[in-house]
Amino acid sequence: MRPVEVVEVGARDGLQNEREIIGTDGKLGLIARLMAAGVRRIEVASFVNPARVPQMADGEAVIAALPDLPGMRYIGLCLNKRGVLRALATREGGARGVDEAGCVLVASDTFGLKNQGQTIEEGIRENREMLKLAREGGLVPQVTISAAFGCPFEGHVPPATVARLAGEMADAGAVEIAIADTIGVGVPAQVADLVGRVREAAPGIRLRAHFHNTRGTGIANAWSAYEAGVDVLDSSLGGLGGCPFAPRATGNIATEDLVYLMDRSGVGTGIDLEALIAVNQWFEPVLGRPMPSLAARAGNWTGAPAA
Ligand code: MG
């Protein structure tokens, strides 16, 4: 079985929707423990307006204090050129900064306007410039197509639209394209279909998938994406997450549940599930409430007889 790369989004997607602000130290403690559990690629912040997303207001402070472990890759989420400029600024003066500009293109006009003030066509133009800025500044240029499986306002999103956007972004120099089910409406058959269409529209580009477990299909969707050839999956510790601009959006698939699924299927992730469950147990009191991960609650099961 080929391995899968897990991108931990807990420190960004996971926390952006929380009402209680998690302080910079809490975020750094979370990131350090995730790294110790084997996570090597982490979305650490988003460069958004702090008035709109207060949880992300300390993005630069988090990034300035990140450990410089060899092999780590840090992603900063960027919704516009201003975000990419902030990502580039984290590397000024020889600072370690972030490695990747995670750009976002929304596959629906209404959600795009609410989330980042861009229609689809405006988003294409903006992302073309963002990817160019990122690449020229030495950041890995990658893009997530959000609301790819459905829009909280417009409903059905034509798969042909998502495929067209993927083609545009490949042409604009994205080295990785993600399809994101921002509001957790997708099902496995849809995943397989959409992955096929996106691959056809953007041949040779690394594909990533991002699922929310809002309706219980997230982990099945992750497996469907893996079987369809996706090599990179997003998930968040504990299944935290949501979107401040998408009504009723709930948590990402839980990293613990994803690692359990992959471990038991013989698919390597490089992440230690027991260590991850310990991170969950450390973080719950920091967060102040239980998190939805099922594997963390039930514990690992390896097939060995009970002691
Ligand atoms: Mg998300």
Side-chain angles (χ1 to χ4, degrees):
M1 301 289 270
R2 69 185 206 284
V4 75
E5 181 179 59
V6 174
V7 176
E8 171 63 43
V9 301
R12 197 281 305 172
D13 199 333
L15 296 182
Q16 69 180 5
N17 221 22
E18 289 295 316
R19 204 176 306 168
E20 298 294 323
I21 299 280
I22 304 297
T24 308
D25 287 348
K27 289 174 183 164
L28 288 167
L30 175 62
I31 290 166
R33 283 167 175 82
L34 289 165
M35 286 166 55
V39 176
R40 288 293 174 268
R41 197 171 167 205
I42 304 185
E43 215 175 70
V44 290
S46 63
F47 300 108
V48 291
N49 182 345
R52 296 194 80 208
V53 189
Q55 283 285 9
M56 294 291 116
D58 63 348
E60 273 85 357
V62 169
I63 291 161
L66 288 171
D68 191 13
L69 184 79
M72 274 308 298
R73 285 167 298 150
Y74 298 123
I75 305 168
L77 200 78
C78 305
L79 303 187
N80 47 38
K81 287 194 289 288
R82 196 186 160 87
V84 177
L85 292 173
R86 282 174 65 186
L88 290 168
T90 65
R91 294 155 67 94
E92 271 169 18
R96 192 205 180 286
V98 292
D99 302 286
E100 304 184 25
C103 303
V104 180
L105 174 59
V106 183
S108 125
D109 286 324
T110 310
F111 186 42
L113 285 168
K114 286 187 195 279
N115 197 62
Q116 56 209 67
Q118 297 158 7
T119 62
I120 291 177
E121 296 311 315
E122 288 165 348
I124 293 172
R125 281 197 294 276
E126 185 78 8
N127 273 274
R128 280 188 171 276
E129 295 175 33
M130 291 159 68
L131 292 166
K132 183 167 185 282
L133 259 180
R135 187 178 58 248
E136 288 174 355
L139 292 170
V140 173
Q142 45 105 333
V143 63
T144 294
I145 302 174
S146 76
F149 293 81
C151 168
F153 307 102
E154 295 182 16
H156 176 71
V157 168
T161 299
V162 179
R164 175 173 75 89
L165 297 183
E168 293 268 6
M169 293 299 98
D171 181 61
V175 300
E176 179 184 84
I177 295 174
I179 46 175
D181 185 8
T182 310
I183 56 169
V185 291
V187 295
Q190 189 184 6
V191 174
D193 173 66
L194 199 56
V195 169
R197 288 170 189 254
V198 166
R199 171 161 299 117
E200 216 166 278
I205 303 278
R206 185 170 67 227
L207 298 185
R208 179 164 52 86
H210 175 107
F211 297 111
H212 284 252
N213 200 35
T214 310
R215 289 165 180 82
T217 56
I219 207 80
N221 289 342
W223 184 253
S224 179
Y226 175 77
E227 282 200 309
V230 169
D231 290 318
V232 191
L233 290 163
D234 287 358
S235 63
S236 115
L237 182 86
L240 287 171
C243 174
F245 308 109
R248 294 190 301 278
T250 57
N252 292 86
I253 56 169
T255 310
E256 301 90 318
D257 300 1
L258 180 63
V259 170
Y260 178 78
L261 168 76
M262 293 302 172
D263 276 358
R264 297 280 302 153
S265 308
V267 177
T269 63
I271 302 174
D272 181 323
L273 179 57
E274 305 282 354
L276 206 53
I277 292 174
V279 181
N280 177 303
Q281 288 164 350
W282 168 82
F283 192 62
E284 251 184 24
V286 177
L287 184 70
R289 66 174 177 82
M291 297 186 281
S293 164
L294 295 171
R297 197 173 312 153
N300 194 9
W301 190 87
T302 63

